[in-house]
């Protein structure tokens, strides 16, 4: 498309444009279809894997395909191959249900050279074909549409389990890419601190400095459940690629917590705020927390919020509802709630020591 913007006369000689290599994002083709329509040149999306050398399915693209941001249409198998969507037990999936894509047929390789164990793992007996025939387990997810054509749904190994929820990273990436200022996006579930796994989004802007992260986050919170909204966003100039020109997820950097904060650092001003900041730093595993910093922007989540409430209850000898963390997600706001609870509880506590000057220093009236 960018080449066409510079010199469009070559398009007149094109009959077909074939996509392959990476999952197609059809909504990005809107400007093309607005300029040329969907008849000539004809755009074709093809799904393929090395083990079939190389294409498996094809789909003729139409203008209406650009209306979706959540799927990549890959169509039907080419003539010398078969494609089946199955569950883990090789049972066929019905229309609308996601399954692993298995490929069989004359175009399928026999296996991996000198790697019998991997061949046995990936090239499995074909329960739908002739005796002795094989299916290749692609590791890719897809689902059937009502017309029998398939939509690519991402990789099985890109499905993660986070705090009890199964999450498709591709769904989050699709929502991020729907923002007009995002050129590329990738999402990882990182565990940079043992036992603390969190979602991190990596973004490349279309125009440097044009993307407002707060607006993007607000849009994601409307489109996704809370547990699918990344806790950190990392801006990159370019995505790291491997030797094959595909995204190298291992080279995506760990986020810097300080870069995620929308507020400049404000030091604690009262004894309550100081104690809270210390507890937050310990629970979140970071060095410095300001009183205006948002717990969830710092990487907090529901399980850490439970730990936070428990630590606060022990330190201040109060009962703090978990919802308080969501209602007052920064130190300053939460300190106000705690001060009210402390002031309410202490006078009625017959075992409590009389209030002194230190107590009053920690209470904001």
């Amino acid at each position: 498309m960018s080449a066409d913007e510079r010199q469009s006369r070559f398009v007149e000689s094109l009959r077909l444009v074939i996509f392959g290599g990476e999952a197609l994002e059809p909504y990005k083709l809107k400007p093309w279809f607005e300029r040329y329509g969907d008849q000539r040149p004809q755009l074709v999306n093809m799904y393929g894997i090395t083990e079939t050398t190389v294409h498996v399915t094809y789909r003729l693209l139409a203008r209406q395909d650009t209306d979706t941001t959540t799927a990549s249409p890959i169509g039907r198998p080419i003539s010398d191959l078969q494609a089946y969507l199955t569950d883990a037990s090789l049972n066929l999936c019905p229309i609308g249900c996601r399954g692993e894509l298995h490929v069989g047929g004359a175009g399928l390789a026999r296996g991996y050279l000198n790697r019998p164990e991997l061949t046995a793992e990936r090239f499995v007996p074909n329960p739908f074909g002739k005796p002795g025939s094989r299916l290749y387990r692609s590791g890719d997810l897809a689902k059937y549409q009502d017309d029998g054509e398939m939509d690519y749904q991402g990789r099985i190994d890109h499905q993660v389990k986070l705090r009890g929820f199964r999450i498709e990273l591709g769904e989050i990436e699709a929502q991020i890419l729907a923002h007009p200022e995002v050129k590329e996006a990738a999402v990882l579930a990182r565990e940079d601190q043992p036992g603390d796994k969190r979602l991190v989004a990596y973004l490349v802007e279309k125009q440097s400095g044009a993307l407002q992260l707060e607006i993007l986050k607000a849009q994601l919170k409307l489109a996704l459940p809370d547990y699918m909204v990344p806790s950190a966003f990392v801006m990159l100039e370019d995505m790291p690629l491997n030797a094959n020109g595909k995204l190298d997820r291992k080279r995506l950097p760990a986020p810097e917590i300080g870069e995620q904060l929308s507020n400049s650092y404000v030091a604690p001003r009262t004894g309550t705020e100081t104690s809270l900041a210390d507890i937050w730093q310990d629970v979140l595993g970071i060095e410095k927390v300001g009183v205006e910093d948002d717990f969830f922007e710092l990487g907090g989540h529901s399980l850490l919020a439970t730990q936070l409430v428990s630590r606060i209850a022990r330190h201040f000898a109060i009962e703090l509802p978990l919802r308080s963390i969501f209602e007052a997600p920064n130190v300053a706001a939460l300190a106000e709630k705690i001060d009210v609870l402390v002031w309410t509880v202490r006078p009625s506590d017959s075992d409590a020591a009389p209030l002194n000057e230190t107590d009053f220093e920690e209470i904001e009236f």
Side-chain angles (χ1 to χ4, degrees):
M1 289 170 62
S2 59
D4 172 58
E5 290 175 359
R6 294 192 301 268
Q7 208 166 21
S8 62
R9 68 176 185 273
F10 298 111
V11 175
E12 299 174 1
S13 63
L14 292 178
R15 186 167 53 87
L16 295 169
V17 176
I18 297 175
F19 297 93
E22 289 283 2
L24 178 68
E25 296 157 346
Y27 72 91
K28 291 185 175 180
L29 298 175
K30 280 186 177 181
W32 178 277
F33 283 133
E34 289 171 359
R35 187 168 185 176
Y36 295 110
D38 57 10
Q39 295 302 308
R40 185 177 180 92
Q42 176 70 64
L43 306 188
V44 184
N45 191 29
M46 300 192 78
Y47 162 84
I49 46 180
T50 304
E51 289 78 6
T52 63
T53 318
V54 64
H55 287 124
V56 176
T57 71
Y58 70 98
R59 163 67 182 265
L60 302 179
L61 297 171
R63 188 189 296 264
Q64 59 264 31
D65 290 321
T66 62
D67 294 335
T68 179
T69 62
T70 59
S72 177
I74 58 175
R76 302 176 182 273
I78 60 178
S79 59
D80 70 338
L81 292 172
Q82 297 88 48
Y84 305 94
L85 302 184
T86 79
D87 61 18
S89 301
L90 287 181
N91 297 310
L92 292 174
C93 293
I95 288 174
C97 290
R98 184 180 295 159
E100 182 178 5
L101 180 56
H102 290 68
V103 182
L108 186 63
R110 298 178 182 178
Y112 296 108
L113 181 64
N114 298 328
R115 302 189 68 182
E117 292 183 359
L118 185 59
T119 296
E121 176 187 345
R122 307 301 294 185
F123 290 81
V124 298
N126 182 359
F128 316 111
K130 297 178 180 179
S133 63
R134 298 277 169 174
L135 289 178
Y136 177 72
R137 297 180 53 198
S138 69
D140 289 316
L141 295 169
K143 69 177 180 181
Y144 290 114
Q145 297 300 321
D146 292 341
D147 59 4
E149 295 202 338
M150 293 179 289
D151 283 344
Y152 177 77
Q153 299 283 311
R155 290 283 302 170
I156 285 180
D157 50 14
H158 291 170
Q159 183 187 77
V160 299
K161 192 171 184 179
L162 189 66
R163 298 186 285 281
F165 295 100
R166 291 199 176 276
I167 298 172
E168 297 290 346
L169 299 180
E171 292 183 19
I172 306 173
E173 292 171 352
Q175 291 295 336
I176 295 173
L177 287 167
H179 191 286
E181 296 298 335
V182 177
K183 180 181 178 182
E184 297 179 75
V187 178
L188 290 186
R190 299 187 66 103
E191 193 170 352
D192 296 303
Q193 296 184 19
D196 183 19
K197 184 183 289 186
R198 62 185 64 182
L199 296 175
V200 180
Y202 297 87
L203 313 174
V204 176
E205 296 176 278
K206 289 182 179 178
Q207 182 178 353
S208 180
L211 176 63
Q212 297 183 43
L213 274 180
E214 293 307 310
I215 294 177
L216 173 61
K217 291 177 186 177
Q219 291 176 350
L220 293 179
K221 288 178 180 178
L222 291 175
L224 298 169
D226 289 341
Y227 62 85
M228 290 180 67
V229 177
S231 61
F233 293 79
V234 179
M235 308 299 295
L236 301 174
E237 291 186 5
D238 296 289
M239 290 290 181
L241 304 179
N242 60 24
N244 294 324
K246 296 189 176 184
L247 176 65
D248 190 344
R249 293 177 179 268
K250 294 180 180 179
R251 290 172 53 200
L252 292 170
E256 293 288 340
I257 293 297
E259 295 178 359
Q260 310 307 315
L261 305 179
S262 56
N263 303 301
S264 57
Y265 176 75
V266 178
R269 298 154 296 193
T270 68
T272 303
E273 289 183 352
T274 300
S275 297
L276 274 181
D278 290 341
I279 294 172
W280 281 34
Q281 288 166 193
D282 195 27
V283 170
L284 293 168
I286 57 180
E287 294 183 359
K288 187 168 67 171
V289 172
V291 298
E292 300 294 339
D293 296 338
D294 188 285
F295 177 74
F296 300 100
E297 286 188 7
L298 290 170
H301 48 71
S302 55
L303 287 183
L304 287 180
T306 303
Q307 295 181 31
L308 188 65
V309 166
S310 177
R311 292 282 299 275
I312 291 171
R314 290 200 305 271
H315 182 85
F316 292 98
I318 59 173
E319 292 186 10
L320 185 71
L322 179 60
R323 67 174 182 274
S324 299
I325 307 299
F326 296 89
E327 294 170 350
N330 62 48
V331 168
L334 192 58
E336 291 182 7
K337 285 182 174 287
I338 291 173
D339 286 339
V340 170
L341 283 171
V342 170
W343 180 246
T344 303
V345 170
R346 280 187 173 179
S348 62
D349 187 350
S350 60
D351 296 327
L355 294 175
N356 55 36
E357 286 184 315
T358 304
D359 295 315
F360 282 94
E361 289 175 0
E362 296 184 2
I363 300 174
E364 291 183 358
F365 294 94

